[in-house]
Amino acid sequence: MNPESELDWEGCLNVRDLGGLGGIRLGALVRMEAPTRLTAAGWAAAWEYGVRTVIDLRNSDEISPDDSPRPAGINTVEVPQDPIGTPFHEYWTKIDNLSSPLYFPAMLTTHPEPLIAAVRTIARAEPGCIVFHCAGGKDRTGLLALVLLALAGATPEEIIADYLLTYERMEVRYAAMGAGDQLGKVERLLEQHDTNVQESLTATIASLTMPAFLLENGLAAADLALLLDRLTK
C-alpha cells in the first residue's frame, strides 16, 4: 500500500485512503471502521485531510453517540446496506451473519439496491473527501470498496489485499472485545463451503462487469460520470 494512504486519526485503527489503487486519486475516498471512537484530535485530522462527507453503512440500531463531536462542516449520510426483513437477510444471517465474503455474490445479484444507493451518494456528495464505514470496516465497507475499486481498474490482488488489511488493523480491537482470531473464524467457515477468502473474493470480482453492473442496476449515466470524476480527477 502507498505510504501516503496510511492515515493516523486518533481513536481509530482501520483508516486508509484508497488512493493509488487502480485509478483512484488520493484524497477522494477513505474507508474505516465506525468513527465513534475518534477523539477531538482525530476529527480534526479528518477535517484537515479534507473530509466533508461521512457515509454510514450501518443499520440505525447499530449507531451510538460519538465520543467526540464531529466538526460542524462534515455532513453524515446514513445508507444502510443490510436488507433487513428480507428472506435474503434471514438466510445469510444463518450462514455467515453477513460477516464474510461468502455472501457478496448473492448480495450483488439479489439486493444490489443498497450498494447502488451508496455509490449514488458518493457520486452526488458535496466537494471534499468522502469517508465510508460500517461497524468494523470489513464487510459492508469491504463490498462497497470492492465495487469502487473494480470500477477504478484495481487488480484482484489489490482488492483482496485491501480487504484482508482490515483483519490485521482490527486485530487489537477484536482481542479487546474477546472476539478472538476473526480471520481464522472466517477461513474455517469458508472452508466448510469449499472456498477461502481469496477464492471467494476473486469470484466476486470476476463476476462484475464495470461499469455495466452499476448502470444495469439503476445508477444513472450522469451519476456514473460524476463518480468517475470524483474518484480520478
Side-chain angles (χ1 to χ4, degrees), residues 53 55 77 79 116-126 130 230:
T53 301
I55 299 176
V77 186
V79 191
I116 296 297
V119 170
R120 186 180 297 114
T121 301
I122 292 172
R124 297 182 181 181
E126 295 297 319
I130 293 173
R230 175 179 288 279

Side-chain angles (χ1 to χ4, degrees), residues 2 8 26 29 37-38 42-43 53-54 60 97 101 104 117 171 196 204 209 230:
N2 185 338
D8 183 12
L26 284 168
L29 286 175
R37 295 172 182 255
L38 281 179
W43 279 115
T53 301
V54 173
S60 59
N97 202 34
F104 285 3
E171 186 175 1
N196 57 45
T204 301
T209 301
R230 175 179 288 279

Side-chain angles (χ1 to χ4, degrees), residues 163-186:
Y163 175 83
L164 288 171
L165 190 55
T166 289
Y167 288 99
E168 177 184 330
R169 297 291 175 77
M170 294 293 286
E171 186 175 1
V172 173
R173 184 72 47 78
Y174 291 144
M177 294 167 55
D181 177 12
Q182 289 298 297
L183 180 57
K185 291 179 181 178
V186 168

Side-chain angles (χ1 to χ4, degrees), residues 50-68:
V51 173
R52 297 299 180 265
T53 301
V54 173
I55 299 176
D56 191 338
L57 306 178
R58 297 173 296 173
N59 308 313
S60 59
D61 62 354
E62 297 178 77
I63 299 173
S64 59
D66 293 332
D67 289 350
S68 300

Side-chain angles (χ1 to χ4, degrees), residues 64-99:
S64 59
D66 293 332
D67 289 350
S68 300
R70 304 183 183 203
I74 291 181
N75 182 38
T76 300
V77 186
E78 296 176 17
V79 191
Q81 293 299 291
D82 288 344
I84 293 176
T86 65
F88 174 94
H89 189 265
E90 181 179 354
Y91 175 80
W92 282 99
T93 297
K94 295 175 183 177
I95 299 296
D96 70 352
N97 202 34
L98 283 78
S99 296

Side-chain angles (χ1 to χ4, degrees), residues 99-179:
S99 296
S100 88
L102 194 63
Y103 85 95
F104 285 3
M107 180 73 178
L108 293 173
T109 301
T110 309
H111 285 285
E113 302 89 358
L115 189 136
I116 296 297
V119 170
R120 186 180 297 114
T121 301
I122 292 172
R124 297 182 181 181
E126 295 297 319
C129 182
I130 293 173
V131 163
F132 62 100
H133 70 88
C134 51
K138 179 169 68 71
D139 292 302
R140 287 168 289 190
T141 298
L143 181 55
L144 178 56
L146 181 154
V147 168
L148 294 169
L149 290 171
L151 174 67
T155 67
E157 292 76 16
E158 288 175 319
I159 296 172
I160 292 167
D162 177 64
Y163 175 83
L164 288 171
L165 190 55
T166 289
Y167 288 99
E168 177 184 330
R169 297 291 175 77
M170 294 293 286
E171 186 175 1
V172 173
R173 184 72 47 78
Y174 291 144
M177 294 167 55

